Amino acid sequence: MRCDYDLIIVGGGLAGNCLALALKDSGLRIALIEAETPAEREHAPIGQRALALAYGSTVMLAALGVWETIKKTATPIKHIHVSDQGHFGKTRLSADKEGVDALGYVITARHIESHVSEQASKTALTTYCPARVVGLMSSDEAAYVNLNVDQQSVNLTAKLVIGADGGQSTVRQLLAIEQKTTDYFQKAIVTTVRSSLGHNNVAYERFTAEGPLAVLPATGNHSSVVWTRTTEHADDLIQRSDADFLAELQNCFGFRMGSLQLVGPRFAFPVNLIRAEKMVQRRAIIVGNAAHQLHPVAGQGFNLGLRDVLQLAEMLIEQVENEGDIGEPAFLDSYAKARQIDHDKVINFTDGLVRVFSNDWLPVTISRNTALILLDHVNSVKSLVTQHAMGLGGRLQRLGKRRY
Ligand SMILES: Cc1cc2nc3c(=O)[nH]c(=O)nc-3n(C[C@H](O)[C@H](O)[C@H](O)COP(=O)(O)OP(=O)(O)OC[C@H]3O[C@@H](n4cnc5c(N)ncnc54)[C@H](O)[C@@H]3O)c2cc1C
């Protein structure tokens, strides 16, 4: 059967656009469908969040040809400082010791999203925007996608549909893929501060019984804050005066960067774990947040999604070169198999961090503080942990070697 497209990508967020970029020379006929206009995305508060990019992700973004520009507004992380509020344990990781310029980089999500989207729009793909996918069916020959464009119904066919439509994925629902949701009853408050002593390119991760606080180096003396509190507390903190909010933030973080000054608006986003029970269905694959929406504690969501996308792109290119069907069940299964271990590792690690560090039961407190101290003193283990924080663990080193 001759389809309208080889591939339909649903969702023009980071995952969808990075996939489109990776496939720009694949010869595939691609359509990308995005529900929101560029202006709507540009002004959405969620675009204000800071993204910590692991070193491995910067290598992959370079392979996609977008890192040079993104790097101009990114701030390098030279050190990572992890501590446990009210307890003795802490650990420090350093770029110098790993022999790299930076352990990772911090960037405002909006900057990377708009650049990647702009670059993807310059490729040969057909974009439907604003357009929302409302229906999806598949047969052995094709996937059938129904869109809502300007109140009009549009039908498209493709050999394969990629759901890159985020944590509330419509594609996941339409495919009847079950999901497991873990509600942490927390919200992440995102804002920007300036500090009197400067950040010296240190990324701070401070665990507290109520949730983690990340203070990430940004341009100038600015730092991006991702502060997780219980839902009620976060809602209350959003309502408070700037002075009240700042006093509580300073109390939680301490004075390691001197006194803090608020320089950006405050927004709160619910945080939970959503994991799809499978990644593939007949003639469809879900990637990025559509497959796994994580707590931001370890800054791994997009890093993991980017690895989905590069793995998928590599396999699709190979399948095209071998003249295989990109929607055949064996191909979809091999993709799912290739991504399973990385998903399990990152999801379990992130979920474990939230649980272990939000626990004030004495034996747990002692164990985690002992672990932090040990980690700080045993160089070989520390180096291993740092390699993983940089997104370089094991097989991951392979991704990003190809130039797209
Ligand atoms: C506070 C916070 C801090 C974070 N910090 C980090 C960090 O430090 N490091 C990190 O790696 N990750 C971090 N993340 C996670 C990261 O932001 C996400 O993993 C990433 O943005 C997900 O990208 P995505 O493209 O999969 O999904 P999304 O960005 O959600 O994009 C999905 C797109 O699909 C579109 N869409 C939805 N439904 C439809 C439909 N029916 N039809 C058409 N289009 C549709 C949407 O409009 C959207 O543009 C953080 C997240 C939060 C909330």
Side-chain angles (χ1 to χ4, degrees), residues 158-209:
K159 289 184 196 156
L160 178 65
V161 171
I162 306 295
D165 53 343
Q168 302 304 321
S169 171
T170 308
V171 171
R172 188 178 66 219
Q173 277 172 37
L174 293 169
L175 293 171
I177 294 180
E178 297 284 325
Q179 71 196 49
K180 190 166 175 249
T181 305
T182 307
D183 194 340
Y184 299 115
F185 303 102
Q186 291 176 334
K187 280 189 177 176
I189 301 171
V190 171
T191 191
T192 310
V193 295
R194 184 165 44 218
S195 60
S196 60
L197 297 181
H199 52 61
N200 294 315
N201 296 91
V202 182
Y204 292 94
E205 183 80 46
R206 186 152 176 74
F207 290 97
T208 79

Side-chain angles (χ1 to χ4, degrees), residues 59-60 307 310-311 314 395-401:
V59 174
M60 294 178 208
R307 297 200 290 272
L310 260 76
Q311 177 81 61
E314 256 188 32
R395 300 170 59 222
L396 305 178
Q397 294 190 14
R398 201 178 44 78
L399 289 177
K401 291 260 158 73

